[in-house]
Amino acid sequence: MDTVTFGMGCFWGPEARFGYHSGILRTRVGYAGGKEGQPSSKNTLDYTEVLQVQFNAELLSLEQIVNQFFKQHNTTRAPRSMKYRSLLLFENEEQKSEMLQKLEEIKHIHGNSYTSVEPLHSFYEADLRHQKYYLQRWKPVYEKWQELHVEKESLVESTLAARLNGLSKGCGSLIELMQEFPDSAYDSLWSVIREVRENSKEQSEDMCGLD
């Protein structure tokens, strides 16, 4: 299991878009890339909002993740603050090399990029209310997930929660979820999702795939 951390604006959307993919095992949002102490949601200091994902390298490569990182946001536009800057954080030389190589390709194509590539020194996990943000707002589905996960995986650790967070933003499909999680214990959850979708207008994200 490998881990990679990156910032691309507000961390809510990226967590949903990356979390739906079957190669992603866990997602969590937080703050990294700063030096001024310990950040919080009320005062992020000089830190950046980031997404940290754990992934199965046999199913999903670092190259695919980095490619999607650049595809999902405009890195040629200057960030409005340190909090929302474009940032790739490496934990080893392999990650550093992959990130820098792709950054050079982007600069060659677009002329410039405001993305920074830096070592990951520390990661501060954000408050629970920021984790799987869209799933928590998908009330009927979130409440059913909680009912099925009492005293089991936390919201941060749950792979299913990562998938549901993506599904709430139109990434992936219910059929894919049912195939990945075939346990009949989830049948009531699938029923709630179908009911919610029937009563609401379904949205589809155009940047969900990890090509």
Side-chain angles (χ1 to χ4, degrees):
M1 180 169 61
D2 294 342
T3 301
V4 64
T5 307
F6 47 88
M8 44 192 297
C10 176
F11 46 35
W12 294 338
E15 185 179 31
R17 294 193 296 271
F18 279 87
Y20 102 94
H21 197 278
S22 59
I24 301 294
L25 302 176
R26 296 182 182 88
T27 65
R28 63 174 179 161
V29 297
Y31 312 99
K35 300 177 181 178
E36 293 182 357
Q38 185 165 333
S40 67
S41 59
K42 293 183 178 179
N43 186 359
T44 58
L45 303 173
D46 64 337
Y47 284 77
T48 300
E49 288 195 3
V50 296
L51 167 65
Q52 186 171 87
V53 301
Q54 292 181 341
F55 63 100
N56 183 342
E58 294 182 358
L59 300 176
L60 183 65
S61 69
L62 176 63
E63 180 182 9
Q64 287 176 293
I65 293 174
V66 174
N67 284 343
Q68 194 65 21
F69 165 87
F70 282 104
K71 181 179 178 182
Q72 287 192 15
H73 72 300
N74 183 1
T75 69
T76 65
R77 183 174 58 194
R80 62 186 189 215
S81 68
M82 290 288 288
K83 182 178 180 180
Y84 297 120
R85 66 186 174 126
S86 179
L87 177 65
L88 285 165
L89 294 159
F90 60 86
E91 298 183 37
N92 52 53
E93 288 301 312
E94 179 184 356
Q95 289 189 353
K96 179 181 179 180
S97 176
E98 181 68 47
M99 293 170 178
L100 287 174
Q101 179 180 334
K102 187 61 182 180
L103 177 57
E104 287 306 309
E105 291 177 13
I106 294 298
K107 288 181 177 179
H108 179 73
I109 294 170
H110 298 290
N112 74 310
S113 174
Y114 285 93
T115 299
S116 296
V117 176
E118 302 172 7
L120 176 64
H121 294 300
S122 58
F123 175 92
Y124 296 91
E125 190 173 297
D127 297 342
L128 186 63
R129 63 190 175 91
H130 291 296
Q131 308 295 337
K132 314 297 185 296
Y133 179 79
Y134 295 108
L135 171 58
Q136 292 195 62
R137 292 170 64 87
W138 209 16
K139 292 296 185 182
V141 177
Y142 180 54
E143 289 169 0
K144 175 56 69 172
W145 175 85
Q146 286 181 304
E147 180 184 317
L148 296 173
H149 283 75
V150 174
E151 297 180 357
K152 293 183 181 179
E153 298 168 296
S154 74
L155 188 62
V156 172
E157 296 172 341
S158 171
T159 301
L160 177 56
R163 302 288 186 274
L164 292 172
N165 193 46
L167 191 66
S168 71
K169 289 294 288 178
C171 294
S173 70
L174 179 55
I175 292 176
E176 290 173 332
L177 267 185
M178 294 172 67
Q179 292 173 341
E180 186 176 0
F181 301 91
D183 193 324
S184 60
Y186 295 120
D187 287 351
S188 59
L189 177 60
W190 311 145
S191 295
V192 170
I193 293 173
R194 289 192 192 95
E195 183 178 346
V196 170
R197 286 187 152 189
E198 286 174 1
N199 295 327
S200 63
K201 200 169 192 180
E202 199 171 318
Q203 293 182 329
S204 178
E205 286 280 331
D206 60 357
M207 294 191 299
C208 293
L210 292 175
D211 302 325

